[in-house]
Every structure is written in structure tokens, then in C-alpha cells.
Amino acid sequence: MREAAAVRAGQAGTAPPTAGAAGTNGRGDDPLRRRATAQSMAASQRDISVSEFFAKNRHLLGFDNPRKALLTTVKEAVDNALDACEEAGILPEIWVQIRPSGENRFQVAVQDNGPGILKKTIPLIFGKLLYGSKFHRLRMSRGQQGIGISAAGMYGLLTTGKPVKIVSKIGPGKPAHYYEIQINTKRNEPEILNGKGEGDEIPANARARQVMEKLGIEWIEVDHGTRVTIELEARYQRGRASVDEYLQQTALANPHVTLHYVDPEGHEKHYLRVADVLPPEPKEIKPHPYGIELGTLVAMLNESRAGTLHQFLTTSFSRVSAAVARRICEAAKLSPRASVRKIGRREADALYQALQNTRIPPPATDCISPIGEELLLKGLRQLVPGEFYAAATRPPAVYRGN
Amino acid sequence: MREAAAVRAGQAGTAPPTAGAAGTNGRGDDPLRRRATAQSMAASQRDISVSEFFAKNRHLLGFDNPRKALLTTVKEAVDNALDACEEAGILPEIWVQIRPSGENRFQVAVQDNGPGILKKTIPLIFGKLLYGSKFHRLRMSRGQQGIGISAAGMYGLLTTGKPVKIVSKIGPGKPAHYYEIQINTKRNEPEILNGKGEGDEIPANARARQVMEKLGIEWIEVDHGTRVTIELEARYQRGRASVDEYLQQTALANPHVTLHYVDPEGHEKHYLRVADVLPPEPKEIKPHPYGIELGTLVAMLNESRAGTLHQFLTTSFSRVSAAVARRICEAAKLSPRASVRKIGRREADALYQALQNTRIPPPATDCISPIGEELLLKGLRQLVPGEFYAAATRPPAVYRGN
């Protein structure tokens, strides 16, 4: 009865009648079987919270297993710390401490000397998935997703029941703020557990130490910075893809960073900076035509304030000069003076093909912020024993995304 | 200056003062550098739509590359069709058609004879991520995420600009509904493009064919069912992990399904069902204690209506008898008569450890719906040439999740 071979050419719509269907409507004949209908199915349809989704699908975010969960947690916290410092023009100093806190449990604490976080945004940054400042801009940074550190906190909560602890201070003479936060996965919202749901304030005076001790807060004295502590089910292991390796590589790739690390066995490592200047600031640039998709082009057309197609092309993209714009319009068989608002789906498609097929110079590279060969070599020499060192830089090309 | 070796034991908090920091607050000294502050950073924090997130991170959902995008799209549509039919007690008949529609573009159409979808829920199912009926229940099904088919539609929109097309009909004598839908990624909401934003209705009378032809709708005549059409950038390829292989395996693993397939070159394959009964319906069961995490236990305690701990244990889990519940309470050093509402974080932790360390029988297996050795062999014999066939079933164990 079952035929795996091609039966004949033509439309599937004219396929031979099905053999073996039980009844003309194909319904099975077990009378006791519960039958869902279009109505009953519609009634059970509902929204799924993004936190619930990722609690179930944590492997998508790097929490596949206890070993990887530890690495991901450290990485998200350190990446955030580095990005915050660099954006604020501060030479980063970062403290990482991992302590065993029970069978298969560790407490990860990461502190920085960054600009600190405003009181009102602390709960959202650490207790809500898909919230952040880096997602929407077209600029290089380490974390982009608005999901990493809050996902780490959620993983900690799910595996140990412990909230995320955050201390942050935005400047000398300003109070520090302390929060114990847990994410409400049903609502994707932060719940503040301490200070009657308001968090605790630590005054910027001689009593600060005393208040911190009373609240059980650990804090390395800095004028401004943030410390986050997450307790999670994890496994500590040295070697490839370990926390130790990641931190060493981070020190190597970021010669302007000072990094202090205390591992779960109490061993300390101090990577001191070899460069006293921050790497050149990455620039936010317009997308290159080769790097966009049709969907992105349509969205750009919808949002553009340009009047004509020519204006749109020269103002929305990198490397599209007036001459290049004219050639693109010609290839798309569209007038450079065509109104952007009147470009329909078919014209957008033609424009997209023309953008891909017109010769356009490669993108500028000041949008990425390389460490530089000299500094890389300097870092390399100090961390890796050897007799000959070389660094190379390759020419740029375009790939989708930013 | 840079030291990779452990300097000395003790607290990171008492680390030596940093060498090379530019100024006491660690700020760099480039006066032209734009400086972000805690205030300016807070101002740029914002919510990220789940659609925007997955548009950028499409690899998380199986849209890594054009070849895989085609497979994922077919798979999501076929899985939905099979689940809908089985839930409604209908022997599934499914039509899959893939047509080339331009350079690197294909149109994928999947139709079923399932129960159909109510008019009002069609746009949400196909044009909103994280919406569905299968996520929250503790029952086996193919798709669970409430994300697959709408993500496929979003990928199609982003790469070809074309909307998803859906036809659905819930019974003989009922009108069919036709929608052209595109997801608004900024809002994660469906936008209906046809019928002035209301969709089109196809009457259940002699004019049906005529109306469909006028609207350019393809539809295989069935009393009830759903057809979804997605156009996307893709690559068609035979062999391992191909659409052809997936459909063959689906036919093999589901002997009760009839599957018609027209590939991009017009070749047809018809897999006719070898079984006229649906597999036994999977049961929704309570979780087994070995399979939950602490976070899940805490959530269950919060939501439970049980008065005492003993009641909670015997009513919330599989395989926890009165005797087992008493042993768990003993191991956790908690009274079986303790009030569920008074169980704090510390007690929950003790309870969790006790659940893991108490001997509890393995879970029942009627929550999974195996095809059965006999039917598997029947399918195997028809699809794979060979002289000896055997099928084996292994005993159950617990793994986290459902």
C-alpha cells in the first residue's frame, strides 16, 4: 500500500484518493477518544512569556549544562562591565570571584569600576529579559541582546532559588543602591525582595561600611561601579572553554583592562593593564548595501524621511555616493527622483537586487575597534612564552548583521 | 607589569592598587571622547521586542542558512499539521509542495485535513511569536514553542518581502477564511494585508472555486483543514538533513499518516498510510520528582492549593504515594502536616534535596505515545530494502523538562 516512488508528474492537488482513511472525513473511529475541535483549540491558545520560553529553552542562551552555565554567567557579567566602562571612557578594572556554596553550587560575583547604574533601571536590567541599550544601535559592542545577564540571573533562581544581588554607585558622594531581585517568569518582570520592595540605600558617609556589613553586602571600595552576584548550579573545570581560559583570553585581547580573579579554590590571578589608553571608540555607522536583507530595506524605506529615492540612497547607506546612487537607480529601472513613499513591494525588490549587483566600495573599518597589532603583541608576549611573535590584520568585507 | 601568576592568597578586595590607571578614578584622558554616564545610559535603555530579537538571532530558531531555513519551514508546518490532526482525532493527510519562485527563492505550501483554525486566532498563530496552545501543558506534542511557524513566516517576510498566506476551514458548510499576514517585528503583532485588514471570506457554496480563483488561492478540496504558504530565500538540496529525507522519515515514524510531496523539480512522492488507527493518545501527567528543578518546585509550592505538605506531595507529583511522601518529609526534616503556605526558601531547598535523594518508582510511560514495534516494522519494511528487521523498546528513566 505504501508507495515511496514518484507516482506521476502533475499537481499534488490531483493526487489519487487516499487508501485506508477511516470514513470520508478521515476521522478515526475510537468513540472514547477526546476530540479537540477548532473551537476548543482556540480557547487554549495564549501568549507565552519570553521568560517562560527561555526558562524552558535555556540551551539557546548558553545554559546547556552546569559547566557551560558557569562560563556563560561569568562572560555575560564581564562583557557588561567592559562595555559600560568603555562607553563611559573609564579604564576598566574588574574583579571576578567564584566561590563554592554547596554541592554543585557556586556564587559568582563580578564588580567593575564603571559608571554605575541609575537606581530605577537596576531592576529592569537584571530582572527582565529583552531589555537593554545596545540592541537597537548600529555600533560594535560585546553584548547586544539585552538578555544575557538577566538570563543568568533567571538560571540561578531556577536552579538554586537564590535572587540576584546588585550593588551600584554612580559617583563619589552619591549613595550606593542594593537590590535583591528575582525575575517573575510568568510576567517577565523583576521582583525586588529587599527593603520592602524598594531596595536598600547605602549612604555616602562614614556609616557606609557599617550598613553594608549589616546587610551582608560585599563591595570593593570604588568611587563608582557595579557589583552583581549570582548563585547557580554549576560545575567548575579548568582547561578548554573554562572560565580561567576565558578570563585569560579577555586579558590578552584587552590590554587596557586590569582583571582580578579569585577561582573557586581561592587561587588569585591579577592581570594588570599594559596600556593606559582605551582602544579607539567604535563609530556607529550606516549599513553597507551588501549587508542588508530585503526586509531591512523595506523597513528602512518605511522609516526614511528622505523625499526622493536618490536622497534615500545617499543618506541611508555607507559608501553610496551620488554617482553610485544613480547607477543603482538605473539598474533597478527606477527614477532617482521617485518619491520614497511611493515605492511599493515590487519596486523595493528591484531596488534590493540592484543594490546587491552594483559595484560599491567596501565599508569603512572605523566602525570596528581593533586592539591594534602593537598592543596585541605586547599582551601576547607577557602571557604566552615564545621566541617569535607576529600579528596580522586582514582587509574588510561585508557580512549581514551588525 | 602584567602578571599572569597567582600573586598571593586572600580576598580580591585587598588586591594591590592598580598600576597604570590614568587618574584616581580610572578615567582616560582623551578630552574629545564622548562620555556616557549612568544618566545617559539609563535614557537609552528600552524594551526589545521578541520579534526583533529573533529577527537578529534567527539561528537560534533553525534559520542559520538558506538550506536549513527551507527544512525548518517545512518541518514547522508539517509538525503543526500532524499535531492538529491527532488532537482532533483525525487520520492526517498532508500535502507538501515546494516551488522555485525566483533566484534562491522558494514557495513552500503545506496543507492538512485537520480541524481548521478559528478565524480570529489565525492572525495570531501565524503572525505573532510566542503564541500557542502547547507550551503550558505537560503533555507530549511535536511543536511546543509557540514560535516555529510564525518565525518561518517572519524569515520569509525578511528575505523576500512576501506575506504568509493562510486558508483555513473548520467544517463542511462553513466558509473558509483567507489571510495574507505579515508580522510587525517592532510590536510582535500580525498585520493583515488583504480584505481591507479583515481577511477574505470564501463562501461554502458553488461560488467557492470562483472566489478562490479570483483571489489566486490554491486549495485542495477537504471538508476541514488548513493551508499555509510561505515564500522564502532558501536552497534546495537532496541528501542528509534535506526536506526529502525529513519527509521520508516522518512517513516512516508515523505509519498512520498519508503524505503527498511535490519537490521543486515537480517530482511527486505519495506515502500512503499503512495504519488506519491513530497512535494511542498521549496523556498529560504530573511531573516526576526526579525531573524538576528547585525553581519549578518553588513555583509549584506557590501555586498549590494543597493545605499540608503531605497533600502537596501526593497530589502534585507522579509516583508519590502516601508512604513515599512520608519518607520525603522525614528526609527533609519537615512535618507532613506543615502548611504549604509557610514553606520558605530554606525549607523548599531541603524538600528539593529530599525529593532527589528518596527512592521513587520510575514514571509511567503512557505520557509518551510510541508508535509501537509492530507498526514501526511495517513502515520500515516498505521504505527500506533489507532481509532482517527488528525494533526494540528501552525501559524509562527521568530527564528534566517535558
Side-chain angles (χ1 to χ4, degrees):
Chain A
M1 267 172 69
R2 182 169 283 240
E3 299 170 33
V7 175
R8 83 221 127 67
Q11 287 294 91
T14 57
T18 305
T24 47
N25 66 355
R27 294 210 183 244
D29 49 7
D30 176 355
L32 292 176
R33 194 169 179 113
R34 185 180 53 185
R35 295 255 168 86
T37 62
Q39 285 79 8
S40 70
M41 282 168 145
S44 63
Q45 298 280 357
R46 70 181 78 162
D47 278 315
I48 298 156
S49 133
V50 65
S51 313
E52 289 180 296
F53 177 81
F54 280 116
K56 219 182 219 182
N57 295 283
R58 55 189 73 170
H59 57 281
L60 295 180
L61 300 177
F63 298 92
D64 315 43
N65 57 56
R67 190 193 55 73
K68 209 168 157 196
L70 187 66
L71 175 62
T72 301
T73 300
V74 171
K75 193 174 172 323
E76 296 294 347
V78 170
D79 281 358
N80 280 359
L82 289 174
D83 275 345
C85 287
E86 289 172 13
E87 271 191 62
I90 297 168
L91 280 168
E93 181 161 6
I94 294 177
W95 293 263
V96 177
Q97 176 151 32
I98 305 178
R99 284 197 197 114
S101 61
E103 205 188 335
N104 302 322
R105 284 191 186 178
F106 293 88
Q107 192 193 57
V108 172
V110 175
Q111 183 173 334
D112 62 49
N113 65 337
I117 304 170
L118 284 201
K119 174 177 159 60
K120 63 170 182 181
T121 45
I122 294 173
L124 294 167
I125 288 175
F126 294 94
K128 181 178 171 67
L129 301 188
L130 294 183
Y131 184 84
S133 61
K134 298 176 231 164
F135 187 86
H136 291 95
R137 65 190 186 193
L138 297 169
R139 197 181 124 184
M140 168 184 158
S141 56
R142 291 179 182 81
Q144 291 215 341
Q145 319 292 19
I147 207 164
I149 195 67
S150 41
M154 182 170 78
Y155 178 83
L157 178 68
L158 290 173
T159 55
T160 71
K162 298 290 170 63
V164 183
K165 295 174 183 175
I166 305 109
V167 189
S168 195
K169 185 175 162 79
I170 63 168
K174 305 270 186 184
H177 293 282
Y178 174 62
Y179 281 103
E180 297 183 2
I181 287 170
Q182 64 180 30
I183 193 168
N184 178 326
T185 48
K186 289 249 156 105
R187 296 167 163 207
N188 189 29
E189 273 174 13
E191 286 173 357
I192 301 163
L193 303 182
N194 64 324
K196 292 175 183 157
E198 298 288 328
D200 288 305
E201 186 169 303
I202 297 141
N205 58 29
R207 284 186 52 248
R209 265 292 142 204
Q210 198 185 329
V211 174
M212 285 197 182
E213 264 168 39
K214 201 178 137 202
L215 294 169
I217 299 173
E218 289 183 83
W219 175 251
I220 292 160
E221 215 44 69
V222 287
D223 282 351
H224 42 76
T226 301
R227 182 183 184 97
V228 56
T229 307
I230 294 173
E231 191 167 333
L232 70 161
E233 197 178 289
R235 197 155 65 88
Y236 173 70
Q237 194 177 300
R238 292 179 215 279
R240 223 178 64 82
S242 66
V243 171
D244 298 48
E245 189 193 66
Y246 160 71
L247 291 175
Q248 192 191 35
Q249 286 172 351
T250 300
L252 175 68
N254 297 278
H256 60 293
V257 171
T258 285
L259 185 61
H260 310 280
Y261 171 42
V262 185
D263 76 16
E265 288 153 20
H267 302 304
E268 288 195 19
K269 284 204 176 106
H270 299 277
Y271 302 98
L272 303 186
R273 66 172 62 84
V274 291
D276 285 355
V277 286
L278 288 162
E281 201 176 8
K283 290 211 179 72
E284 184 155 352
I285 61 159
K286 287 165 186 155
H288 190 278
Y290 291 176
I292 63 161
E293 285 185 317
L294 177 56
T296 316
L297 177 64
V298 170
M300 288 171 74
L301 283 164
N302 287 339
E303 284 163 25
S304 175
R305 288 177 193 174
T308 69
L309 185 54
H310 188 269
Q311 282 168 356
F312 169 75
L313 289 170
T314 52
T315 58
S316 306
F317 293 102
S318 285
R319 302 304 204 196
V320 176
S321 63
V324 169
R326 273 193 303 274
R327 264 183 284 139
I328 292 169
C329 291
E330 206 171 297
K333 294 185 178 130
L334 293 168
S335 162
R337 278 168 299 171
S339 161
V340 169
R341 245 162 303 150
K342 286 187 184 154
I343 295 198
R345 222 185 291 164
R346 197 175 305 249
E347 289 82 21
D349 208 352
L351 187 61
Y352 176 72
Q353 301 300 339
L355 281 169
Q356 304 311 306
N357 298 324
T358 303
R359 195 169 176 141
I360 301 168
T365 52
D366 54 0
C367 62
I368 50 176
S369 171
I371 298 299
E373 295 181 12
E374 196 195 335
L375 279 182
L376 257 189
L377 285 179
K378 213 165 166 182
L380 204 57
R381 261 187 224 111
Q382 308 225 4
L383 281 181
V384 186
E387 293 189 346
F388 174 74
Y389 301 86
T393 304
R394 283 171 295 171
V398 179
Y399 178 70
R400 193 178 66 198
N402 60 50
Chain B
M1 268 173 69
R2 183 169 281 242
E3 300 169 31
V7 176
R8 82 222 129 66
Q11 287 294 92
T14 57
T18 306
T24 47
N25 66 355
R27 294 209 183 244
D29 50 7
D30 176 355
L32 292 176
R33 195 170 178 113
R34 184 180 53 184
R35 296 254 169 85
T37 62
Q39 285 79 8
S40 70
M41 283 169 142
S44 63
Q45 298 281 358
R46 70 181 77 161
D47 278 315
I48 299 156
S49 130
V50 65
S51 314
E52 289 179 296
F53 177 81
F54 280 115
K56 219 182 219 181
N57 296 283
R58 56 189 72 169
H59 57 281
L60 295 180
L61 301 177
F63 298 92
D64 314 43
N65 57 56
R67 190 194 54 73
K68 210 169 156 194
L70 187 66
L71 175 61
T72 301
T73 300
V74 171
K75 193 174 171 325
E76 295 294 347
V78 170
D79 280 358
N80 280 359
L82 289 174
D83 275 345
C85 288
E86 289 173 13
E87 270 191 63
I90 297 168
L91 280 168
E93 180 160 7
I94 294 177
W95 294 263
V96 177
Q97 176 150 33
I98 305 178
R99 284 198 197 114
S101 61
E103 204 187 336
N104 302 322
R105 283 190 186 177
F106 293 88
Q107 192 193 57
V108 172
V110 175
Q111 182 173 335
D112 62 48
N113 65 337
I117 304 170
L118 283 201
K119 174 176 159 61
K120 63 170 183 181
T121 46
I122 294 173
L124 294 167
I125 288 175
F126 294 94
K128 182 178 172 66
L129 301 188
L130 293 183
Y131 184 85
S133 61
K134 298 176 229 163
F135 187 86
H136 291 95
R137 65 188 186 194
L138 296 169
R139 196 182 125 183
M140 168 184 158
S141 56
R142 291 179 183 80
Q144 291 215 340
Q145 319 292 19
I147 207 164
I149 195 67
S150 41
M154 182 169 78
Y155 178 83
L157 178 68
L158 290 173
T159 55
T160 71
K162 299 290 170 62
V164 183
K165 296 174 182 173
I166 305 109
V167 190
S168 195
K169 185 175 162 79
I170 63 169
K174 305 271 185 182
H177 293 282
Y178 175 62
Y179 281 103
E180 297 184 2
I181 287 170
Q182 64 182 31
I183 193 168
N184 178 327
T185 48
K186 289 248 155 108
R187 296 168 163 207
N188 189 30
E189 274 175 12
E191 286 173 358
I192 301 163
L193 304 182
N194 63 325
K196 293 175 183 157
E198 298 288 328
D200 287 305
E201 186 169 303
I202 297 140
N205 58 30
R207 284 186 51 247
R209 266 291 142 205
Q210 197 185 330
V211 174
M212 285 198 182
E213 264 167 40
K214 201 177 138 203
L215 294 168
I217 298 173
E218 290 183 83
W219 175 251
I220 293 160
E221 216 43 71
V222 287
D223 281 351
H224 43 76
T226 301
R227 182 183 183 97
V228 55
T229 307
I230 294 174
E231 191 167 333
L232 70 160
E233 197 179 289
R235 197 155 66 88
Y236 174 70
Q237 195 178 298
R238 293 179 214 278
R240 223 178 64 82
S242 66
V243 171
D244 298 46
E245 190 193 66
Y246 160 71
L247 290 175
Q248 192 191 35
Q249 286 172 351
T250 300
L252 175 68
N254 297 278
H256 60 293
V257 171
T258 285
L259 184 62
H260 310 279
Y261 171 43
V262 185
D263 76 16
E265 288 153 20
H267 303 303
E268 289 194 19
K269 283 203 176 105
H270 300 278
Y271 301 97
L272 303 187
R273 67 173 62 85
V274 291
D276 285 355
V277 285
L278 288 162
E281 199 176 8
K283 289 211 179 72
E284 184 156 351
I285 61 158
K286 287 165 186 154
H288 190 277
Y290 291 175
I292 62 161
E293 285 185 317
L294 177 55
T296 316
L297 176 64
V298 170
M300 288 171 74
L301 284 165
N302 287 339
E303 284 163 26
S304 174
R305 288 180 192 171
T308 69
L309 185 53
H310 188 271
Q311 282 168 358
F312 169 75
L313 289 169
T314 51
T315 58
S316 306
F317 293 101
S318 285
R319 301 305 203 195
V320 176
S321 62
V324 169
R326 273 193 302 274
R327 264 183 284 139
I328 293 168
C329 291
E330 206 171 299
K333 293 184 178 131
L334 293 168
S335 162
R337 278 168 299 171
S339 162
V340 169
R341 246 162 302 149
K342 286 187 183 153
I343 294 199
R345 222 184 293 163
R346 197 175 305 249
E347 288 82 21
D349 207 352
L351 187 61
Y352 176 72
Q353 301 301 339
L355 281 169
Q356 304 312 306
N357 298 324
T358 303
R359 195 170 178 141
I360 301 168
T365 52
D366 54 0
C367 62
I368 50 176
S369 171
I371 298 299
E373 295 180 13
E374 195 195 336
L375 279 182
L376 257 188
L377 285 179
K378 212 165 167 183
L380 203 58
R381 261 186 224 111
Q382 308 224 4
L383 281 180
V384 186
E387 294 190 344
F388 174 74
Y389 301 85
T393 305
R394 284 171 294 170
V398 179
Y399 179 70
R400 193 177 68 197
N402 59 49

